[in-house]
């Protein structure tokens, strides 16, 4: 039986060691520290009872509960390890090499029997991407992508291929989670004008024109990411292109598709244009969250009909993480963002806390659903390496900073099976902590020397949109119900889509506000029928608008040039001339 508190495994320049989880945070005696910098890889089994690591000489496997060494394999070059779901097989991978005379290299993907330590099978696997075979949860089925085919093995008998799924140029596949019947999603990229497509099959029914459970084709796809929900009832597909031909984004173009196992499919309509940063399923399999759009990014929860359920507004975020029980959602901005996090109660759509984990490169929920791990790791960042353990209410319970001459390479929780930790009621009050809180440094905006002695004007590059339940309701202080919020969100999305379509078709007809100082009758779009007079009216309005902008700049403290001041003085004469021309219409 695994310990009741998850362990924390740390790998870095100080070696490989384990730390007891909350509330103690002391170095664990279950695993003696492996000193040195030679540890390249480690992994836990799915239930957290077995632990394997490579020290540059051998791959060792131990039982975490009784500290017993089970096996030691002579694999000094192994860089990838993975246990099968029921701890029957250990898969190892090392870089593929060929001999100098050009002959084929030796198999580099080994599958070992964890109980006996014998090698069940060796394969040649040239690419590190998708190196590991995919097992069903009961290990009845195991699948590999080989030469544009998916090979299926049954009951860990790797000497006989039980089934094959053959489509022209299969690029990727994902086996469904959960019990039988097993399903598989396959992606075939488009070529010679034909579209790319994703198809869902039920194992082992692969033959015949109507064998596929569902099919979704699309043209804009250089690569896809396929995400099954936990109940294996639907797949989300993020289709990406390497280049955005419209020039709107440096990161290419993404679209989000929904494919259900019953054959239904849809394009998820995202109200804001821009990249799709993250999409994640709730463990309930009934809803998913997408983070998308040009910064500040939007975050929205959708149901299985692809209708928006709740909109979190906009903010500096590029990732979403549901807690293991699915009752808490963290929206975060890591990487090139400042590490701001928003912790939400997704049952009541209530904000719990807004901690800041600066310079973080890694985030993980603890299996207990209460604690969060954030870390700054090399090589992504080589300075200020370390990790923090948080309570979801925003308190830092433990903090470790690597010495300035050291590096942190990897840190992760010991996994546990679902159901080990019960769901606890959500608390909104920050839990007490012995770790002193750090106030994040607030970066002040640069001010040029000419403006430093003048009053500060509040100006923002972007106006952030609040969550939908925090938006002011005109003439109604009563909060809206869930159904009313949902209907309002759908109405706003349709309205925004229509407005964007209208603007794309006729950008020149977008309404521009008239200068405040011009008379009301100057807004009229009536024409005289004389092209010369119409041209004069248009030029006068243009000049008045420029004068209005100059007056705003002067009010903001900007020093105007002599010719700009002269323009402002001509405003009255221009207005009079405009009135005379329009009265003559």
């Amino acid at each position: 039986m695994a310990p009741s508190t998850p362990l924390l495994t740390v790998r870095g320049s100080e070696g490989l060691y384990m730390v007891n989880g909350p509330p103690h945070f002391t170095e664990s005696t279950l695993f003696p520290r492996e000193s040195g910098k030679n540890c390249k890889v480690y992994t836990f089994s799915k239930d957290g009872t077995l632990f394997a690591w490579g020290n540059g000489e051998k791959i060792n496997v131990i039982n975490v509960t009784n500290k017993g060494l089970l096996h030691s394999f002579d694999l000094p070059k192994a860089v990838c390890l993975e246990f099968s779901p029921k701890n029957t097989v250990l898969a190892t991978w090392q870089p593929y090499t060929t001999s100098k005379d050009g002959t084929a290299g030796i198999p580099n993907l080994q599958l070992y029997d964890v109980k006996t330590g014998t090698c069940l099978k060796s394969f040649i696997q040239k690419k590190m991407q998708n190196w590991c075979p995919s097992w069903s949860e009961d290990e009845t089925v195991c699948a590999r992508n080989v030469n544009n085919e998916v090979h299926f093995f049954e009951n860990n008998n790797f000497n006989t291929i039980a089934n094959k799924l053959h489509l022209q140029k299969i690029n990727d596949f994902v086996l469904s989670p959960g019990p039988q019947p097993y399903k598989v999603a396959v992606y075939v990229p488009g070529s010679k004008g034909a579209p790319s497509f994703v198809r869902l099959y039920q194992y082992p029914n692969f033959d015949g024109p109507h064998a596929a459970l569902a099919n979704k084709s699309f043209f804009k796809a250089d690569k896809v990411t396929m995400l099954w929900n936990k109940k294996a009832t639907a797949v989300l597909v993020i289709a990406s292109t390497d280049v955005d031909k419209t020039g709107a984004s440096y990161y290419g173009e993404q679209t989000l598709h929904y494919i259900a196992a019953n054959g239904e499919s849809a394009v998820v309509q995202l109200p804001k244009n821009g990249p799709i940063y993250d999409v994640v399923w709730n463990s309930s399999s009934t809803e998913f969250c997408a983070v998308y759009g040009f910064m500040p990014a939007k975050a929205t929860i959708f149901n299985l009909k692809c209708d928006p359920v709740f909109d979190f507004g906009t903010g500096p975020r590029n990732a979403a993480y549901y807690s293991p029980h699915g009752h808490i959602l963290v929206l975060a901005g890591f990487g090139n963002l400042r590490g701001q996090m928003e912790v939400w109660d997704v049952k009541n759509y209530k904000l719990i806390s807004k901690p800041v984990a600066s310079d973080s490169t890694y985030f993980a929920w603890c299996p207990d659903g209460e604690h969060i791990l954030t870390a700054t790791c090399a090589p992504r960042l080589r300075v200020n390496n370390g990790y923090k353990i948080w309570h979801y209410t925003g308190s830092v319970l433990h903090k470790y900073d690597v010495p300035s001459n050291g590096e942190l390479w990897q840190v992760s929780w010991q996994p546990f099976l679902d159901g080990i930790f019960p769901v606890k009621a959500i608390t909104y009050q920050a839990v007490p902590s012995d770790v002193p809180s750090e106030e994040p440094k607030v970066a002040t905006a640069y001010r040029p020397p000419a403006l430093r002695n003048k009053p500060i004007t509040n100006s923002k590059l972007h106006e952030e949109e609040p969550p939908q339940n925090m938006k002011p309701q005109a003439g109604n202080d009563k909060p809206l119900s869930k159904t009313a919020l949902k209907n309002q969100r759908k109405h706003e999305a349709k309205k925004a889509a229509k407005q964007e379509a209208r603007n794309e078709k006729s950008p020149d007809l977008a309404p521009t506000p008239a200068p405040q100082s011009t008379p009301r009758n100057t807004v009229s779009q009536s024409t005289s029928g004389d092209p010369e007079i119409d041209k004069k009216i248009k030029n006068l309005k243009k000049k008045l608008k420029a004068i209005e902008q100059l007056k705003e700049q002067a009010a903001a403290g900007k020093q105007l040039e002599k010719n700009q001041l002269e323009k402002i003085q001509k405003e009255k004469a221009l207005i009079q001339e405009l009135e005379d021309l329009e009265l003559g219409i």
Side-chain angles (χ1 to χ4, degrees):
M1 185 67 187
S4 58
T5 303
L7 296 167
L8 202 65
T9 308
V10 183
R11 183 176 70 90
S13 56
E14 296 179 306
L16 176 71
Y17 60 96
M18 292 186 186
V19 175
N20 291 312
H24 304 296
F25 307 112
T26 55
E27 187 165 338
S28 175
T29 57
L30 290 173
F31 180 80
R33 182 187 285 251
E34 182 95 21
S35 300
K37 301 181 179 181
N38 296 323
C39 179
K40 296 178 182 177
V41 61
Y42 72 79
T43 189
F44 274 103
S45 60
K46 299 291 185 292
D47 61 1
T49 57
L50 301 182
F51 182 72
W53 78 98
N55 58 13
E57 297 176 2
K58 294 185 177 182
I59 298 295
N60 299 311
V61 183
I62 64 166
N63 189 312
V64 177
T65 52
N66 59 22
K67 310 182 193 178
L69 179 66
L70 299 179
H71 300 291
S72 187
F73 304 109
D74 188 19
L75 295 166
K77 295 181 181 179
V79 292
C80 295
L81 302 173
E82 192 76 33
F83 283 102
S84 62
K86 295 178 74 68
N87 304 347
T88 308
V89 179
L90 174 66
T92 69
W93 183 88
Q94 55 192 13
Y96 179 73
T97 55
T98 55
S99 57
K100 291 181 180 178
D101 56 6
T103 55
I106 59 172
N108 59 323
L109 168 60
Q110 276 82 29
L111 303 176
Y112 290 94
D113 188 321
V114 173
K115 188 175 284 187
T116 63
T118 57
C119 184
L120 298 172
K121 187 71 175 176
S122 295
F123 296 102
I124 290 177
Q125 173 68 34
K126 295 182 180 180
K127 293 182 179 179
M128 187 176 181
Q129 184 182 5
N130 301 327
W131 70 273
C132 188
S134 295
W135 278 274
S136 60
E137 285 189 3
D138 59 4
E139 295 191 13
T140 302
V141 175
C142 180
R144 287 186 70 230
N145 190 353
V146 183
N147 297 330
N148 301 318
E149 291 182 335
V150 182
H151 292 182
F152 292 87
F153 306 92
E154 293 184 350
N155 301 314
N156 288 327
N157 177 11
F158 298 102
N159 294 314
T160 305
I161 299 173
N163 276 290
K164 286 185 181 180
L165 174 55
H166 178 73
L167 290 171
Q168 191 173 5
K169 295 184 179 178
I170 291 179
N171 183 277
D172 195 9
F173 79 98
V174 182
L175 203 60
S176 68
Q180 297 186 23
Y182 314 116
K183 304 179 189 75
V184 60
V186 294
Y187 162 61
V188 176
S191 60
K192 297 179 181 178
S196 307
F197 62 84
V198 170
R199 283 182 188 163
L200 309 188
Y201 291 92
Q202 182 171 306
Y203 182 84
N205 306 321
F206 301 138
D207 298 325
H210 304 293
L213 299 174
N215 180 60
K216 180 70 177 175
S217 58
F218 30 77
F219 280 96
K220 292 184 177 181
D222 293 322
K223 58 184 177 182
V224 304
T225 304
M226 296 176 284
L227 306 167
W228 280 101
N229 63 8
K230 203 171 183 180
K231 293 181 180 176
T233 57
V235 177
L236 288 170
V237 179
I238 307 170
S240 309
T241 59
D242 295 329
V243 178
D244 185 355
K245 292 181 180 178
T246 65
S249 174
Y250 175 78
Y251 299 100
E253 193 175 357
Q254 293 91 24
T255 51
L256 181 60
H257 305 266
Y258 170 88
I259 310 173
N262 62 6
E264 295 178 357
S265 64
V267 178
V268 182
Q269 298 296 334
L270 302 176
K272 188 173 184 180
N273 291 331
I276 299 172
Y277 304 102
D278 200 9
V279 179
V280 60
W281 280 103
N282 191 322
S283 57
S284 67
S285 299
T286 58
E287 62 185 28
F288 59 91
C289 180
V291 182
Y292 59 93
F294 296 113
M295 286 294 167
K298 259 188 174 298
T300 308
I301 289 178
F302 296 88
N303 60 18
L304 295 183
K305 294 180 180 178
C306 301
D307 293 330
V309 177
F310 187 81
D311 179 17
F312 294 98
T314 60
R317 54 173 83 109
N318 55 14
Y321 306 93
Y322 275 107
S323 65
H325 304 108
H327 62 321
I328 299 174
L329 173 68
V330 175
L331 301 174
F334 296 136
N336 58 351
L337 298 176
R338 288 176 52 199
Q340 292 167 284
M341 297 187 285
E342 297 172 38
V343 185
W344 285 85
D345 171 359
V346 290
K347 187 176 181 181
N348 302 306
Y349 298 117
K350 188 175 179 181
L351 185 65
I352 301 171
S353 62
K354 291 186 74 173
V356 178
S358 301
D359 302 328
S360 294
T361 62
Y362 178 77
F363 176 102
W365 273 100
C366 179
D368 66 8
E370 282 196 88
H371 299 91
I372 290 168
L373 166 67
T374 62
T376 304
C377 300
R380 179 68 177 82
L381 280 176
R382 296 191 183 275
V383 294
N384 299 329
N385 283 187
Y387 65 87
K388 292 178 182 177
I389 309 295
W390 307 72
H391 191 266
Y392 65 79
T393 54
S395 304
V396 179
L397 304 180
H398 178 67
K399 178 184 176 184
Y400 177 72
D401 293 324
V402 176
S404 57
N405 59 344
E407 290 181 349
L408 177 66
W409 300 327
Q410 189 179 1
V411 58
S412 62
W413 293 107
Q414 175 190 16
F416 277 71
L417 295 176
D418 294 341
I420 299 292
F421 295 98
V423 184
K424 294 183 180 179
I426 293 176
T427 177
Y428 297 91
Q429 186 68 35
V431 300
S433 171
D434 297 331
V435 179
S437 60
E438 295 179 3
E439 290 295 327
K441 295 178 182 177
V442 180
T444 56
Y446 169 77
R447 303 198 74 208
L451 295 179
R452 285 175 189 170
N453 296 324
K454 295 185 178 177
I456 297 173
T457 55
N458 290 325
S459 59
K460 290 183 179 179
L461 286 175
H462 307 283
E463 283 296 331
E464 288 188 6
E465 182 186 321
Q468 68 180 52
N469 59 356
M470 294 182 187
K471 290 181 181 178
Q473 302 294 330
N476 183 17
D477 297 330
K478 189 177 178 181
L480 294 176
S481 65
K482 273 191 178 181
T483 309
L485 284 171
K486 177 182 167 184
N487 292 336
Q488 183 193 36
R489 184 74 198 92
K490 285 170 72 175
H491 177 70
E492 287 176 357
K494 284 181 182 177
K495 190 176 177 183
K498 284 181 182 177
Q499 185 62 39
E500 281 185 20
R502 199 178 297 124
N503 289 345
E504 284 173 8
K505 285 180 182 177
S506 52
D508 295 333
L509 299 181
T512 54
Q516 293 178 0
S517 57
T518 56
R520 192 168 292 177
N521 62 356
T522 63
V523 182
S524 171
Q525 297 297 321
S526 57
T527 57
S528 64
D530 187 339
E532 286 298 321
I533 295 176
D534 290 343
K535 190 175 179 181
K536 284 182 182 179
I537 291 173
K538 187 177 178 182
N539 287 336
L540 285 170
K541 286 182 178 179
K542 193 174 178 181
K543 288 178 182 178
L544 286 168
K545 187 176 179 181
I547 289 170
E548 195 63 35
Q549 289 173 347
L550 288 173
K551 287 166 75 176
E552 286 175 5
Q553 291 172 10
K558 184 178 177 181
Q559 191 74 30
L560 298 182
E561 300 292 334
K562 185 180 177 182
N563 62 334
Q564 292 174 322
L565 293 170
E566 289 174 355
K567 280 184 182 178
I568 293 174
Q569 291 171 2
K570 293 178 182 177
E571 184 181 23
K572 287 184 180 179
L574 292 172
I575 291 172
Q576 186 62 48
E577 187 180 348
L578 182 62
E579 283 181 350
D580 292 343
L581 284 170
E582 290 194 330
L583 286 172
I585 292 174

